[in-house]
Amino acid sequence: MRKVFASAGAAAAFFASTAPLLAQADPWQTRFQPAATDMMRQIAWFELYTLWFIVPITLLVLALLAYCIWKFRESANPTPSRTSHNTLIEVIWTIGPVIILLFIAIPSFQLLTAQYTPPEEAKLTLKATGNQWNWDYEYQLEEPLSFNSALLPDADRATAGKEDRAAYPRLLAVDNEVVVPVNTTVRVLVTASDVMHAFAMPAFGVKTDAVPGRINEIWFKAEKEGLYYGQCSELCGKDHAFMPIAIRVVTEEQYNTWLTAAKADLPGANRALMAAIDGANKVASAGN
């Protein structure tokens, strides 16, 4: 089964290579956001895998119900059957579901184990604290870096250089994004300062509750540079819908440069990073 996961992940990685460097919720979206981690690809595979069981079972039950309604209607059967049991049918509907559940349970347990078992020791630890209605982030380094991230007001877009609604969408753009290096295992310690929140990043395949007085641990390893959006996923008060999460994945060099500058001037470091990324994108586009 692990080989199946690996093959599916490799195939998904090939097709994901053409995905945009931006993951966010889209209007009328019916599928997952583009996967940015191997874990998310496994989750997407498992969802499709379970549909091969769910859809036929649903259609079978629907067909059986329709048949019974038609076959055993009162006009066709004025005297109903008095059959109390049927051994063969009872054996089939007992053993059949057990087998199906085994086919679902084994890869499910493997996926659950993988979600709580990082492939390597985390190189970066980040603490995320949910507040009503923003996030505090702390990079747990020798010289810690802390800042607050909140919804970006429309009036501040020009000052922040985030007027592009496609890259910085309404209700998802924040004033200060979390910045992490690509292909690096990141541990996230999640908690809350007031009420329950939830830290969710769909493209990474991570989601956990932020509970006051408790620390929950998750991890991710982003494989593609870009800007990724999530949201608080636990009803936490009147501004629950205005509590986005934004993570920018950059190269190791860009991350180190940003980190050094951010300790002295976070807004300036963010603007410099955005300028470096925009410049690199323009060069890449011109080269193509």
Side-chain angles (χ1 to χ4, degrees):
M1 188 61 69
R2 292 186 183 278
K3 292 182 179 179
V4 174
F5 271 129
S7 299
F14 172 78
F15 290 108
S17 63
T18 58
L21 300 176
L22 180 67
Q24 59 178 293
D26 295 319
W28 301 100
Q29 186 173 9
T30 59
R31 299 297 301 157
F32 296 125
Q33 294 182 15
T37 65
D38 178 65
M39 184 56 58
M40 185 58 206
R41 287 197 297 272
Q42 292 188 41
I43 292 173
W45 176 88
F46 182 71
E47 186 259 350
L48 292 175
Y49 173 77
T50 55
L51 285 180
W52 285 101
F53 297 93
I54 295 172
V55 173
I57 291 172
T58 301
L59 295 177
L60 175 62
V61 172
L62 179 61
L64 289 175
L65 285 173
Y67 174 77
C68 290
I69 291 172
W70 174 78
K71 178 70 174 179
F72 302 106
R73 65 192 187 280
E74 183 180 2
S75 59
N77 293 273
T79 303
S81 171
R82 299 297 181 181
T83 302
S84 60
H85 67 277
N86 185 303
T87 302
L88 177 61
I89 292 178
E90 291 178 0
V91 169
I92 291 174
W93 72 35
T94 299
I95 295 179
V98 169
I99 295 174
I100 293 172
L101 288 175
L102 283 175
F103 273 95
I104 295 176
I106 293 174
S108 174
F109 292 151
Q110 290 178 331
L111 178 59
L112 187 62
T113 300
Q115 287 181 298
Y116 289 95
T117 310
E120 59 187 7
E121 184 64 27
K123 296 181 181 179
L124 173 63
T125 298
L126 176 70
K127 184 178 180 181
T129 303
N131 313 300
Q132 289 180 310
W133 290 271
N134 51 70
W135 294 90
D136 287 327
Y137 295 106
E138 178 184 341
Y139 287 72
Q140 300 194 341
L141 307 168
E142 291 185 5
E143 297 182 26
L145 169 66
S146 301
F147 59 84
N148 180 268
S149 179
L151 182 71
L152 180 66
D154 287 343
D156 296 341
R157 282 182 175 271
T159 303
K162 298 179 179 179
E163 296 177 284
D164 182 358
R165 297 284 180 133
Y168 305 100
R170 177 178 176 271
L171 300 185
L172 288 178
V174 300
D175 51 3
N176 299 309
E177 294 95 3
V178 173
V179 180
V180 299
V182 69
N183 294 320
T184 300
T185 300
V186 179
R187 178 192 294 115
V188 186
L189 306 178
V190 183
T191 187
S193 63
D194 37 42
V195 300
M196 284 186 64
H197 303 278
F199 188 92
M201 183 57 62
F204 294 171
V206 297
K207 179 179 180 180
T208 190
D209 283 340
V211 184
R214 175 176 176 174
I215 294 180
N216 289 328
E217 181 178 325
I218 56 176
W219 67 274
F220 64 84
K221 185 177 181 180
E223 301 173 346
K224 192 174 181 66
E225 297 171 38
L227 183 55
Y228 301 91
Y229 291 102
Q231 291 175 293
C232 173
S233 298
E234 185 74 46
L235 186 60
C236 56
K238 71 179 183 65
D239 284 343
H240 162 67
F242 307 98
M243 193 173 168
I245 302 166
I247 298 180
R248 191 186 292 275
V249 181
V250 298
T251 65
E252 184 80 24
E253 181 182 1
Q254 288 173 331
Y255 167 75
N256 291 331
T257 302
W258 171 87
L259 182 62
T260 301
K263 293 177 180 179
D265 179 13
L266 179 62
N270 289 338
R271 287 192 294 270
L273 178 60
M274 291 167 57
I277 293 173
D278 290 342
N281 290 339
K282 290 177 181 178
V283 170
S285 298
N288 291 336

